Amino acid sequence: ELQNINNWDQGAALRVQANLVHAETQVNLAEALRRTGHRWLPATVDVLAGADHRTYIIVPDGNYFINPGNGNDPFSPLTYGKTGGFVQGGVRLLAQKLHLTATVRADKNDYFDVRFSPRFTAVYSPTQRHNFRVSYQRGYRFPSLFEGFSNVNSGQVKRIGGLRVMSQGVFENSYLRSSIDAFNAAVTASVNANSSTTLTPAQKQSQAITESQGLLRRNPYTYLRPEQIGSLELGYKAALLPGGRLLLDLDFYYNAYRDFIAQVEAYVPKTLNPDSAAIYLSSRATQSRYRLWTNAQTRVYNFGGSVGLRYELPGGLLAGANATYARLARTESGDGLEDGFNTPRWLLNLSLGHEKLYRQLGGSLGYHWQQGYYSQTFLVSGRVPAYHSLDAQLSYTVARPALRFKLGATNVLNRYYTSFLGGPGVGGLYYLAVTCSVK
């Protein structure tokens, strides 16, 4: 019965009908010009151009989405689109050892002005065994459909999109939940500590509210803007040792965000008189609770890197290892925002394999480890425990007919783990694959 009630105060139905219209095109201008006889353009110069368009068409269900732009019919189709294009130029210098590329992209969203995104890259290969790369780009991310238009009443808190058409009036009249929690805790402590015998409980409550209302903080955030990023990446790839038996790949990145898209929980008192706000915020029944998509007012930084190794042992045995580190740094962690950076700091993968362990028999082993981390989502927040798993595969090749058999498993030991909160436990997956090659 509950799964058919499309009201999350009472039931659990989720009915969303959606369509996506997408088109894109790309042309190699330099190649096209050279083919038509324009020999003035050197072969070491590349010029690309492209464009794309995407529109989401949502049929609102009244619970998960509504059409805020049509007050007469909130169930009419909701559209959200973007059109963009780019031009990219590249040149190869120093006997083609240095490759420079510059790109500029423009994007127009239905609810925002045109945004320009430049990108510059350089790849330097002094020899075939060494490769250096560096790139810098500035880009924008427009709010997703859910971030902009969500309309989910999930019981105690209503989640609404951060676009003005969805949340006008809420940002202006709300208070941060973090400050309300501190205010109510102070009120309770003050009432419990008040030993006066001349005051009634209601008078004690009123006195405590007056004393503690300075803890309340108006919501300083406002409507969603596109998220902006400046990104720097450095990399190095090399084939080392005689014969290039050891492959090394290093990568480091540093991202600086402005207007980082995150969530804030803020409550609106059910009164138009600001002098009475504290009284209304002291009771759950006299306030409306919201979780809003908005932008961080402080700078947010994300940095990390990875190192990968692959070594060919005598006899053709391949051993590999890679480790990845990722971290989010914020200049202010007590700002009431939930950043939702649900990424473990450390990931580790190890592998060992051979195409021909014995005659036509091959095999491989893979080990994966992921560090535990704290996860924040609009459904649930908490600690995701670390886990590790082992994968294995055997292969056998038959020459005639040309068949290849693969017998393997992911998480072969069937040790259940959870990779994100609210998700299922993941056990072993065992498979047999047969591939036939036809010439």
Side-chain angles (χ1 to χ4, degrees):
E1 179 181 351
L2 294 177
Q3 70 182 357
N4 290 317
I5 299 177
N6 191 31
N7 180 343
W8 285 9
D9 282 334
Q10 306 168 15
L14 174 58
R15 302 191 181 101
V16 177
Q17 300 178 42
N19 293 287
L20 170 64
V21 177
H22 177 83
E24 61 179 275
T25 183
Q26 181 173 298
V27 58
N28 188 327
L29 292 176
E31 190 65 26
L33 289 172
R34 282 191 285 265
R35 286 180 179 177
T36 55
H38 293 76
R39 302 184 182 276
W40 54 268
L41 192 63
T44 56
V45 174
D46 300 313
V47 182
L48 298 174
D52 67 275
H53 174 81
R54 172 171 292 193
T55 293
Y56 295 94
I57 305 172
I58 308 298
V59 180
D61 65 338
N63 180 39
Y64 209 65
F65 287 108
I66 62 172
N67 188 337
N70 191 341
N72 297 326
D73 185 9
F75 296 96
S76 60
L78 166 68
T79 61
Y80 186 54
K82 178 192 76 71
T83 301
F86 75 91
V87 176
Q88 175 178 298
V91 61
R92 294 181 291 277
L93 305 171
L94 304 179
Q96 302 199 27
K97 293 181 179 180
L98 178 63
H99 189 189
L100 302 177
T101 304
T103 309
V104 62
R105 179 178 179 86
D107 290 284
K108 174 66 175 73
N109 180 284
D110 288 347
Y111 287 80
F112 301 100
D113 295 331
V114 176
R115 295 294 197 276
F116 293 93
S117 305
R119 183 171 187 259
F120 306 94
T121 65
V123 178
Y124 179 57
S125 304
T127 69
Q128 290 185 345
R129 289 195 172 192
H130 297 274
N131 181 287
F132 300 87
R133 61 187 183 274
V134 59
S135 69
Y136 175 80
Q137 67 177 9
R138 191 182 69 210
Y140 292 88
R141 182 175 78 84
F142 294 107
S144 69
L145 191 69
F146 188 77
E147 292 166 346
F149 294 96
S150 55
N151 182 64
V152 182
N153 190 351
S154 54
Q156 299 297 326
V157 179
K158 185 170 184 178
R159 297 173 174 86
I160 58 176
L163 294 178
R164 181 183 289 271
V165 293
M166 291 297 305
S167 49
Q168 187 167 9
V170 178
F171 279 107
E172 296 87 346
N173 300 306
S174 60
Y175 293 76
L176 291 179
R177 178 204 166 164
S178 54
S179 73
I180 296 173
D181 289 345
F183 161 73
N184 284 318
V187 169
T188 301
S190 178
V191 170
N192 292 337
N194 193 332
S195 58
S196 173
T197 58
T198 60
L199 296 177
T200 66
Q203 290 173 326
K204 293 181 180 180
Q205 177 82 3
S206 177
Q207 186 181 78
I209 290 174
T210 301
E211 294 172 350
S212 305
Q213 63 183 352
L215 295 173
L216 291 172
R217 184 183 172 198
R218 293 294 294 263
N219 183 3
Y221 301 101
T222 187
Y223 309 111
L224 265 180
R225 298 181 299 274
E227 183 178 282
Q228 180 179 331
I229 182 176
S231 178
L232 174 67
E233 183 181 358
L234 305 172
Y236 171 66
K237 184 181 291 185
L240 306 174
L241 301 181
R245 301 173 71 90
L246 177 63
L247 296 181
L248 171 66
D249 194 353
L250 299 174
D251 182 78
F252 171 79
Y253 64 88
Y254 182 86
N255 300 324
Y257 293 91
R258 296 183 64 181
D259 294 330
F260 187 81
I261 294 178
Q263 294 184 75
V264 63
E265 203 160 339
Y267 302 161
V268 177
K270 295 180 179 179
T271 177
L272 298 178
N273 183 2
D275 296 333
S276 303
I279 299 174
Y280 281 78
L281 292 173
S282 65
S283 171
R284 177 175 295 184
T286 55
Q287 58 188 257
S288 299
R289 300 186 163 196
Y290 297 95
R291 186 186 295 268
L292 303 154
W293 290 97
T294 186
N295 302 92
Q297 295 177 346
T298 55
R299 299 296 296 268
V300 177
Y301 305 92
N302 164 228
F303 59 90
S306 64
V307 55
L309 294 169
R310 194 184 75 168
Y311 182 64
E312 184 178 351
L313 296 162
L317 189 65
L318 290 177
N322 67 71
T324 302
Y325 179 79
R327 185 172 179 179
L328 183 76
R330 294 174 57 187
T331 56
E332 184 180 349
S333 58
D335 52 9
L337 292 182
E338 296 179 5
D339 50 60
F341 186 74
N342 301 322
T343 305
R345 288 196 180 180
W346 284 103
L347 296 171
L348 175 66
N349 294 287
L350 302 174
S351 64
L352 188 65
H354 199 299
E355 280 292 316
K356 292 186 178 181
L357 289 172
Y358 178 74
R359 294 185 178 178
Q360 281 74 43
L361 181 66
S364 64
L365 289 173
Y367 174 79
H368 174 77
W369 173 80
Q370 176 177 299
Q371 187 182 31
Y373 66 97
Y374 185 78
S375 172
Q376 286 182 317
T377 70
F378 67 91
L379 290 176
V380 62
S381 296
R383 185 77 182 171
V384 178
Y387 74 88
H388 59 91
S389 63
L390 182 67
D391 303 338
Q393 180 181 283
L394 288 174
S395 62
Y396 187 80
T397 302
V398 179
R400 294 183 181 179
L403 295 176
R404 185 176 178 86
F405 298 87
K406 290 183 180 180
L407 176 64
T410 59
N411 193 6
V412 64
L413 301 179
N414 198 35
R415 297 181 54 159
Y416 275 73
Y417 64 85
T418 301
S419 59
F420 63 95
L421 294 181
V426 180
L429 173 66
Y430 307 90
Y431 59 88
L432 173 64
V434 181
T435 303
C436 177
S437 299
V438 180
K439 295 183 180 179

